[in-house]
């Protein structure tokens, strides 16, 4: 994932510095999270995360989400391939917990938005963690499907982005310029 910073942002960097703007993500094992990993990789392959802003900066997560507006890659994908618009079910594996620098899908159904945990959020996003948001029924955990393996400084910089009030909406969002799948141990 290559990240571009808004020149008006408080976290802007004057010049691209090579690897410092690149974040490497490793997905969970397909045995542990088959559906969530498949969905994420398909969304990346279909380009829906290109020019996607990191629009939420809360104390525990930063969240990126593509535009749902007509003409955007996410909107077009939802029309052409509705099965790729969201995860179909809430998948959970105790081998893939919501620890710092892991990725999860928010919402019911989750995706295409995803968030990066800035600290251990198992209590908030693990099994039963979202019950207060979804009524008396204790829902399953948010799918935690990947982790950051390189680019921690970029994530920490994103965390410092200024927000508007209690909504945690980023004033001048950094954007995912491009995401691509690099390969796997199965190649």
């Amino acid at each position: 994932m290559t990240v571009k910073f808004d020149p008006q942002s408080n976290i802007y960097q004057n010049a691209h510095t090579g690897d410092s703007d690149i974040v490497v993500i490793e997905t969970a094992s397909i045995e542990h999270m088959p559906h969530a990993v498949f969905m994420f990789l398909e969304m990346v392959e279909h380009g829906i995360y290109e020019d996607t802003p990191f629009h939420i900066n809360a104390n525990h997560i930063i969240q990126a989400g593509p535009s749902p507006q007509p003409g955007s890659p996410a909107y077009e994908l939802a029309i052409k391939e509705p099965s790729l618009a969201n995860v179909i079910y809430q998948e959970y594996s105790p081998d893939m917990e919501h620890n710092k620098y892991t990725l999860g899908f928010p919402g019911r159904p989750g995706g295409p938005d995803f968030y990066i945990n800035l600290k251990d959020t198992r209590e908030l996003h693990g099994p039963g963690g979202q019950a207060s948001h979804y009524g008396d029924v204790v829902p399953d955990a948010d799918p935690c499907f990947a982790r950051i393996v390189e680019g921690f400084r970029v994530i920490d910089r994103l965390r410092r982005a200024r927000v508007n009030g209690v909504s945690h909406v980023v004033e001048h969002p950094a954007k995912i310029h491009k995401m691509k799948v690099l390969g796997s141990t199965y190649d």
Side-chain angles (χ1 to χ4, degrees), residues 37-107:
V37 167
F38 172 78
M39 295 300 291
F40 180 70
L41 293 175
E42 284 294 301
M43 290 175 191
V44 170
E45 283 292 322
H46 281 82
I48 70 162
Y49 294 117
E50 291 183 19
D51 293 321
T52 291
F54 284 95
H55 58 94
I56 302 290
N57 182 359
N59 294 328
H60 62 296
I61 64 163
I62 52 174
Q63 184 170 320
S67 171
Q69 301 302 316
S72 74
Y75 182 86
E76 298 303 321
L77 178 62
I79 291 171
K80 285 195 271 188
E81 300 284 343
S83 65
L84 294 178
N86 303 94
V87 294
I88 296 168
Y89 62 92
Q90 300 305 109
E91 187 172 41
Y92 170 74
S93 171
D95 294 317
M96 203 58 203
E97 298 281 358
H98 287 274
N99 295 313
K100 187 174 184 178
Y101 299 122
T102 57
L103 281 67
F105 283 125

Side-chain angles (χ1 to χ4, degrees), residues 152-164:
F152 302 106
R153 291 166 80 177
V154 176
I155 303 306
D156 293 342
R157 201 159 125 224
L158 288 169
R159 172 65 186 101
R160 294 191 302 270
R162 198 173 2 259
V163 297
N164 287 324

Side-chain angles (χ1 to χ4, degrees), residues 135-153:
D136 295 334
V137 177
V138 179
D140 294 330
D142 287 350
C144 184
F145 60 89
R147 66 185 179 100
I148 305 293
V149 294
E150 290 180 37
F152 302 106
R153 291 166 80 177

